[in-house]
Amino acid sequence: MNSIRYKSLTFEQVHVGDTLPPLAHEVTTTSIILGALASRDWRPMHHDRDFAQQRNGTRDIFMNTPNQAAWLERFITDWAGPKARIGRYKFRMGDSICPGDNMVFNGEVLGTEMDEQGCGWVSLRIALSVGSEEKTRFTARVALPVDEHDNPWARSGDRWRP
Amino acid sequence: MPHNDDFTIGLNEALSWLDQKRHAVVGEFDVERGYFWTACAAVQNGNPLYWDEQLAAQLTGGPTAPLTLLSAWFRPHYWMPGRDTIPLPWQTHFDLKETLALPEAVATDSEVVFGEPIRPGDRIHCCETLRSLSEVKTTKLGKGRFWVIDAVCHNQHDVWVGTETMTGFGYRNVGARQGQQG
């Protein structure tokens, strides 16, 4: 099979303090509903404005948790490329993301670590903001290839320690 | 509210759930690629791993699901013949609300750890476990308890594919909101 060319960061190219390219998106009713249905989340606060306002007291329908995670995944792999394999992420939600919000992801490399199995890990701190307000804070642990021949996706069992 | 100051309601029952497997669910359908692309389209994710067959074969031995779709594979359909109610994901969260007589609850933190990639044709099953239940706490939302619930997921070969951990806060007396209500 021919080798396919694509951009993918390697572990040695990443350093503590590096920043990820920001990702901005103008949130719409469509994007929130599309994200909820794509993640099979049928709860009405993610597609029914009256319900969201009257039952949840929110400004409008709001982005569901799996869809925030999907945006996070895109943000990380836009930066790191297809060889990057997310091991774990954690987040704390503040206020809701609603239609009309211009959400922006920003991220920074907090640490780098090579585990006992030779897997290269980077720790990221990521914020999802609207204007000056930080809505959700994330941390993520992502495996990057240690060199151009390495492939984190080939790891399994004891060789994969997320 | 008649029991507004009594935070021992249902406590012994809830504590008996600690570290016990609860609400095992099996996905109602095989993992399918259409969802991969719908999920990517929803966030305009152009990762070639999900769009380029040759690259997927080269890196992951064939197509795999976007990682953050994990919970989609065991969420029930909105409707099925003969079903009167929609089963809820994180049923333990709602059980705790009801049993502890805490009418409001928010999910404050979420953590997901990923194992083996999920592939088309897989059938995912999942089981919840209550990991902790806090003492009574007072926050700006109200007075109640925090809890931590794991949802551990495996494929049809019983290979671990991921674990979701949710921290919830069930409370009385609504104040300013924080987190996503559920």
Side-chain angles (χ1 to χ4, degrees):
Chain A
M1 181 178 295
N2 293 330
S3 175
I4 301 165
R5 301 197 67 81
Y6 48 83
K7 171 181 170 264
S8 229
L9 286 178
T10 59
F11 180 67
E12 61 190 11
Q13 292 173 312
V14 176
H15 303 92
V16 173
D18 287 355
T19 56
L20 284 66
L23 170 65
H25 180 73
E26 193 74 37
V27 178
T28 65
T29 300
T30 299
S31 62
I32 286 179
I33 295 175
L34 193 57
L37 299 188
S39 53
R40 300 175 52 79
D41 188 342
W42 326 118
R43 291 178 299 167
M45 61 282 258
H46 305 306
H47 62 258
D48 182 333
R49 177 179 296 146
D50 289 343
F51 185 97
Q53 291 174 337
Q54 291 164 20
R55 292 286 299 277
N56 296 93
T58 49
R59 290 174 283 137
D60 204 327
I61 61 171
F62 54 91
M63 187 177 290
N64 69 324
T65 302
N67 194 31
Q68 286 199 36
W71 280 103
L72 172 76
E73 180 177 357
R74 178 197 155 179
F75 176 61
I76 292 171
T77 55
D78 275 3
W79 165 69
K83 275 191 170 180
R85 181 177 176 185
I86 300 172
R88 70 169 62 213
Y89 64 82
K90 184 172 186 176
F91 60 96
R92 172 163 292 186
M93 292 167 285
D95 201 4
S96 304
I97 310 290
C98 295
D101 287 348
N102 182 23
M103 68 174 187
V104 180
F105 283 84
N106 284 284
E108 177 186 9
V109 177
L110 279 186
T112 61
E113 173 209 354
M114 182 87 76
D115 73 17
E116 293 173 351
Q117 300 298 319
C119 185
W121 293 96
V122 296
S123 300
L124 305 174
R125 175 171 57 201
I126 295 165
L128 192 176
S129 302
V130 174
S132 60
E133 188 180 352
E134 202 171 273
K135 300 279 191 175
T136 306
R137 284 176 286 167
F138 304 86
T139 56
R141 176 170 156 87
V142 182
L144 297 182
V146 294
D147 57 37
E148 63 181 17
H149 304 293
D150 185 31
N151 176 16
W153 290 101
R155 295 180 174 276
S156 63
D158 286 344
R159 296 182 64 242
W160 176 244
R161 298 181 175 181
Chain B
M1 173 176 260
H3 304 297
N4 210 31
D5 295 325
D6 184 357
F7 285 88
T8 63
I9 297 169
L11 181 60
N12 286 338
E13 182 180 357
L15 288 171
S16 75
W17 302 342
L18 282 169
D19 297 323
Q20 304 297 312
K21 290 183 178 177
R22 313 181 75 245
H23 299 301
V25 293
V26 179
E28 293 175 341
F29 62 103
D30 292 347
V31 171
E32 58 185 75
R33 287 189 84 182
Y35 267 109
F36 301 1
W37 294 315
T38 302
C40 286
V43 296
Q44 300 164 24
N45 184 351
N47 186 345
L49 189 61
Y50 304 128
W51 297 95
D52 185 324
E53 299 265 355
Q54 197 179 358
L55 179 66
Q58 184 176 307
L59 287 187
T60 57
T64 59
L67 293 172
T68 51
L69 260 186
L70 175 63
S71 65
W73 308 122
F74 51 88
R75 282 180 186 265
H77 290 301
Y78 182 73
W79 179 89
M80 285 184 87
R83 178 187 286 166
D84 296 327
T85 57
I86 307 171
L88 294 168
W90 299 109
Q91 183 63 54
T92 302
H93 173 81
F94 295 95
D95 292 347
L96 286 163
K97 283 178 65 177
E98 183 175 344
T99 300
L100 297 170
L102 300 172
E104 308 297 334
V106 293
T108 61
D109 294 77
S110 176
E111 181 167 21
V112 186
V113 187
F114 298 105
E116 284 296 303
I118 293 174
R119 299 178 184 280
D122 281 353
R123 183 69 71 100
I124 306 302
H125 58 96
C126 176
C127 197
E128 296 180 4
T129 304
L130 175 64
R131 290 301 181 197
S132 67
L133 181 62
S134 79
E135 299 295 319
V136 176
K137 306 279 188 184
T138 300
T139 73
K140 65 182 180 181
L141 290 173
K143 195 171 180 182
R145 295 181 189 274
F146 285 90
W147 48 72
V148 177
I149 304 166
D150 280 349
V152 182
C153 308
H154 295 82
N155 65 18
Q156 68 278 14
H157 305 298
D158 286 329
V159 174
W160 174 68
V161 295
T163 299
E164 290 197 37
T165 300
M166 184 259 269
T167 301
F169 178 61
Y171 63 95
R172 300 175 196 157
N173 299 330
V174 181
R177 287 191 334 280
Q178 181 184 19
Q180 300 217 21
Q181 300 198 7

